[in-house]
Amino acid sequence: TQLLEQSPQFLSIQEGENLTVYCNSSSVFSSLQWYRQEPGEGPVLLVTVVTGGEVKKLKRLTFQFGDARKDSSLHITAAQTGDTGLYLCAGVRKGAQKLVFGQGTRLTINP
Amino acid sequence: ETGVTQSPTHLIKTRGQQVTLRCSSQSGHNTVSWYQQALGQGPQFIFQYYREEENGRGNFPPRFSGLQFPNYSSELNVNALELDDSALYLCASSFVGIDEQFFGPGTRLTVL
């Protein structure tokens, strides 16, 4: 059973379009991180959200943490080919030491 | 500031052999976590080390073991390798009590 469910698992869109990736759970997390991973490399941290309802922006990327701290979303505006990659959400439950990852969303932006 | 480094980059072993993977943590970090990432999956937590002791373990058998050294670097040892152990092994460093973890480039292990 996957503790964090990401959707969609695969997404292929044209450059310039907008998209949203979802990360859902029935568990409460003390924080949630979004990572981006290129083939053969380690995940690179994009953002951490810790407060329910929190919204963070990183250029064309907008991250939101759900009010109940059980879910999160990543919205990309005007996608570019350089946004192509594997996007992973990962949460930390209170008192735990580990990151729990979703299965990832493989994003392809076509020129 | 030096990031997380891992060695080797790639490794090929046969079933039954033993392997040691190495990780140097980011400067200023005192906690190291190891993750296994199978092809097409998200990383799975193996264990974490803090103050040279195991500080949490995921659902992995005892043949997965680790060490942390006084300089906070770490090793992951896997005995009696199985075909399913083929994966990308990721090391992440952090500061104790802080949720954010920073990953190294990984070691790609292939078991034949």
Side-chain angles (χ1 to χ4, degrees):
Chain A
T1 304
Q2 195 79 24
L3 194 58
L4 273 171
E5 296 284 346
Q6 275 188 248
S7 61
Q9 283 189 264
F10 299 92
L11 184 58
S12 180
I13 62 172
Q14 295 300 119
E15 196 169 25
E17 294 183 359
N18 302 331
L19 67 107
T20 302
V21 175
Y22 299 93
C23 179
N24 295 304
S25 177
S26 58
S27 299
V28 176
F29 293 96
S30 61
S31 71
L32 199 138
Q33 285 85 45
W34 284 90
Y35 291 84
R36 178 178 156 182
Q37 186 176 23
E38 302 291 344
E41 298 181 9
V44 175
L45 180 65
L46 297 175
V47 78
T48 298
V49 285
V50 296
T51 305
E54 182 176 7
V55 177
K56 281 192 174 180
K57 292 192 175 184
L58 187 66
K59 296 183 182 178
R60 295 173 294 98
L61 278 60
T62 302
F63 304 86
Q64 184 163 7
F65 203 11
D67 291 342
R69 290 186 288 134
K70 293 181 179 181
D71 53 84
S72 181
S73 63
L74 157 61
H75 182 79
I76 300 179
T77 303
Q80 300 176 356
T81 55
D83 295 328
T84 293
L86 178 68
Y87 289 81
L88 293 159
C89 67
V92 178
R93 296 169 73 180
K94 188 175 182 179
Q97 299 79 29
K98 62 180 180 180
L99 284 172
V100 175
F101 281 86
Q103 69 270 56
T105 295
R106 172 91 39 205
L107 176 63
T108 303
I109 309 299
N110 303 299
Chain B
E1 187 176 86
T2 307
V4 179
T5 60
Q6 292 185 244
S7 63
T9 306
H10 297 87
L11 204 51
I12 300 175
K13 292 285 188 178
T14 56
R15 275 185 304 173
Q17 285 189 312
Q18 177 266 343
V19 69
T20 298
L21 310 181
R22 295 177 175 83
C23 171
S24 291
S25 61
Q26 183 170 311
S27 58
H29 287 173
N30 56 13
T31 301
V32 174
S33 302
W34 286 91
Y35 293 82
Q36 180 195 66
Q37 186 177 23
L39 205 60
Q41 302 293 319
Q44 298 289 319
F45 176 74
I46 303 174
F47 43 54
Q48 184 183 85
Y49 277 82
Y50 169 62
R51 288 188 174 177
E52 302 176 47
E53 292 189 358
E54 191 177 284
N55 183 41
R57 188 179 182 94
N59 189 26
F60 282 82
R63 59 189 185 85
F64 285 77
S65 63
L67 285 172
Q68 187 183 32
F69 300 100
N71 67 354
Y72 307 122
S73 66
S74 177
E75 285 183 357
L76 163 65
N77 299 288
V78 187
N79 293 322
L81 284 167
E82 300 177 359
L83 296 179
D84 285 349
D85 295 334
S86 294
L88 181 67
Y89 287 84
L90 295 163
C91 166
S93 75
S94 57
F95 196 80
V96 67
I98 304 297
D99 290 348
E100 292 179 339
Q101 296 185 17
F102 296 86
F103 286 82
T107 294
R108 171 69 62 188
L109 172 65
T110 302
V111 182
L112 302 177

